[in-house]
Amino acid sequence: MADFDKVPSRIGSGSYKWDSRQGVIPLWVADMDFPTAPCVVSALTRRVEHGIFGYTLVGDEYYDALTGWFRRRHGYSFDRSRVIYTSGVVPAISAVIKALTHPGDGVIVQTPVYNCFFSSIRNNECRIVENPLLRSDLGEGEFTYNMDLEGLEKLCSDNSNTLLLLCNPHNPAGRCWTREELEQVADIARRHGVMVVSDEIHCELTMPDYSYTPYGTVDSGAVVCVSPSKAFNTAGLQIANIVTPDNDTRERIDRAININEVCDVNPFGVTALIASYSAEGEAWLEELRTYLDDNRRYTVERLRAELPQCRMARLEATYLPWIDISPTGLGADELEHLLLEDEHVWVNSGVMYGLDGYIRLNIACPRPLLAEGLDRIISALKKHL
């Protein structure tokens, strides 16, 4: 059994999360504070002991692990010939936009959404076209979001909008989109000739009673980006995969991957993926998901009892709660600064995701650290209510 309450200190390890500013509780960047699965550590240790780290050949074992995992665990079958490996999902998305759009094209996003979507669109000289999610209050201190399908239909009917970036599950809204919702998206996109690119990096991190639906199972013409990095806390090993729908799309994306010079990966990323997508990795992942759900329930209960004015989006997937701080009268950037400077706890402002009045937390940390972070956040917010 993994002990997620006891973890080694990351201070001084070159951690972007912990060493960017020491002396604060970092509940910001989407990076867990848990060591990865023991089977991954063992596999990496064996690879290190070999002692030679030259250019990496990605072989059959890699593709078998990747395709086998998604087939067994998620009912998502795809051929290895359709896969392009690269160094991360963000480089993947940027390369896909470069490959499948022209400068000036509109790329649809459903805000609030992962901030790197915006930069990837801008960097490829395309237009950001927002289709805001629709908020729905649920009572008991929670709310949720739904897609504005009428708005999506209108935007997709505009021929200048050629691509939709889908976040499945959605960061930071916490939604695990249902098959029915994704089928509606696929129908709209198909009828208007809009290509869908789905970022599914959080796909393993669903809460109990919620099931991830791979977008590729409802839309065979889509591009899907996946990585073990969020679920197994291996982002620094830089490995991700693009699943393409056909040879032509694959060739265009592969060309863009090479233009962007993100076509090479390191041996540790390859080794870690193979170990992650194993029976031992899956067993560890289930323990992690249980712990994350406990942290979710703890966070919901604390906010409901001590800060009922500030509701939290129902967290169906990811470890990134999205909290409405508008009752405080503070802007999200202002609150992020206040919490960092006065309370020494670091959160993300909703502005970076396209929506003021909200903050995003990272609860993928030991419970005692989460408790202390929430103590400071709740204390600060109460002063402004």
Side-chain angles (χ1 to χ4, degrees):
M1 283 287 290
D3 187 349
F4 295 105
D5 281 328
K6 296 181 180 178
V7 299
S9 171
R10 300 181 67 188
I11 297 173
S13 68
S15 164
Y16 183 64
K17 180 179 180 180
W18 282 86
D19 290 333
S20 291
R21 178 160 175 169
Q22 295 187 12
V24 303
I25 296 176
L27 303 181
W28 61 298
V29 66
D31 170 331
M32 297 193 295
D33 286 320
F34 311 125
T36 189
C39 63
V40 175
V41 175
S42 295
L44 290 171
T45 299
R46 292 192 297 271
R47 185 64 186 85
V48 167
E49 288 173 348
H50 183 265
I52 301 175
F53 314 115
Y55 295 116
T56 302
L57 175 67
V58 178
D60 292 344
E61 189 178 7
Y62 178 92
Y63 291 105
D64 289 345
L66 172 67
T67 59
W69 175 272
F70 278 91
R71 183 180 62 254
R72 293 189 310 272
R73 188 170 172 85
H74 302 300
Y76 180 24
S77 296
F78 50 87
D79 191 86
R80 59 174 286 176
S81 65
R82 296 283 188 260
V83 174
I84 302 172
Y85 57 78
T86 187
S87 56
V89 166
V90 173
I93 289 171
S94 292
V96 172
I97 295 173
K98 179 186 287 292
L100 304 182
T101 66
H102 298 94
D105 282 1
V107 177
I108 302 167
V109 294
Q110 303 190 97
T111 49
V113 76
Y114 180 45
N115 55 294
C116 286
F117 280 14
F118 302 120
S119 57
S120 292
I121 295 168
R122 292 192 193 100
N123 291 343
N124 284 287
E125 300 179 346
C126 290
R127 293 179 294 108
I128 297 168
V129 180
E130 294 190 35
N131 183 49
L133 298 174
L134 302 176
R135 174 171 163 164
S136 174
D137 288 326
L138 300 172
E140 296 187 347
E142 289 187 307
F143 62 95
T144 192
Y145 288 99
N146 296 294
M147 295 190 216
D148 181 359
L149 295 172
E150 289 185 8
L152 184 61
E153 178 95 42
K154 182 177 179 180
L155 293 177
C156 286
S157 68
D158 182 340
N159 291 335
S160 69
N161 299 328
T162 61
L163 192 144
L164 165 65
L165 286 186
L166 180 69
C167 201
N168 176 42
H170 194 94
N171 167 26
R175 277 301 315 275
C176 184
W177 304 119
T178 65
R179 178 169 292 275
E180 180 182 6
E181 288 171 308
L182 296 178
E183 286 173 344
Q184 291 174 301
V185 171
D187 176 64
I188 292 171
R190 191 179 300 113
R191 284 189 285 104
H192 296 290
V194 171
M195 173 68 78
V196 178
V197 179
S198 188
D199 171 1
E200 308 199 346
I201 197 169
H202 292 278
C203 68
E204 308 299 343
L205 300 171
T206 55
M207 297 297 165
D209 302 324
Y210 295 96
S211 178
Y212 153 68
T213 300
Y215 186 74
T217 63
V218 302
D219 183 356
S220 61
V223 175
V224 177
C225 301
V226 296
S227 171
S229 62
K230 285 293 182 277
F232 291 90
N233 208 27
T234 53
L237 300 181
Q238 299 184 315
I239 196 75
N241 295 283
I242 306 168
V243 183
T244 63
D246 53 59
N247 285 334
D248 177 65
T249 305
R250 188 194 188 286
E251 289 174 6
R252 291 164 66 186
I253 295 173
D254 190 56
R255 190 178 311 119
I257 288 283
N258 281 272
I259 290 171
N260 285 359
E261 301 292 357
V262 286
C263 50
D264 289 323
V265 291
N266 72 72
F268 303 116
V270 173
T271 296
L273 181 143
I274 294 168
S276 297
Y277 291 160
S278 66
E280 295 87 350
E282 188 165 25
W284 177 88
L285 177 62
E286 292 310 310
E287 293 180 14
L288 169 70
R289 292 174 66 234
T290 297
Y291 192 88
L292 292 177
D293 182 50
D294 288 343
N295 272 2
R296 176 196 62 81
R297 287 188 288 105
Y298 175 79
T299 303
V300 169
E301 290 166 3
R302 288 286 308 272
L303 293 175
R304 188 178 291 160
E306 301 174 57
L307 202 67
Q309 301 94 330
C310 295
R311 297 187 174 192
M312 175 176 143
R314 178 169 289 174
L315 194 64
E316 301 173 355
T318 83
Y319 46 72
L320 303 166
W322 180 246
I323 299 171
D324 180 357
I325 51 92
S326 60
T328 67
L330 298 172
D333 284 346
E334 181 183 7
L335 180 59
E336 177 186 347
H337 179 76
L338 181 152
L339 289 173
L340 183 60
E341 299 300 330
D342 295 351
E343 305 296 336
H344 307 295
V345 58
W346 197 343
V347 302
N348 287 125
S349 162
V351 172
M352 68 190 300
Y353 309 105
L355 191 60
D356 202 353
Y358 296 79
I359 58 172
R360 192 191 79 166
L361 305 185
N362 179 347
I363 61 170
C365 60
R367 188 81 38 76
L369 186 69
L370 175 60
E372 175 61 26
L374 288 175
D375 284 346
R376 299 183 190 187
I377 292 169
I378 291 169
S379 174
L381 291 181
K382 281 183 173 179
K383 297 174 185 175
H384 293 275
L385 289 170

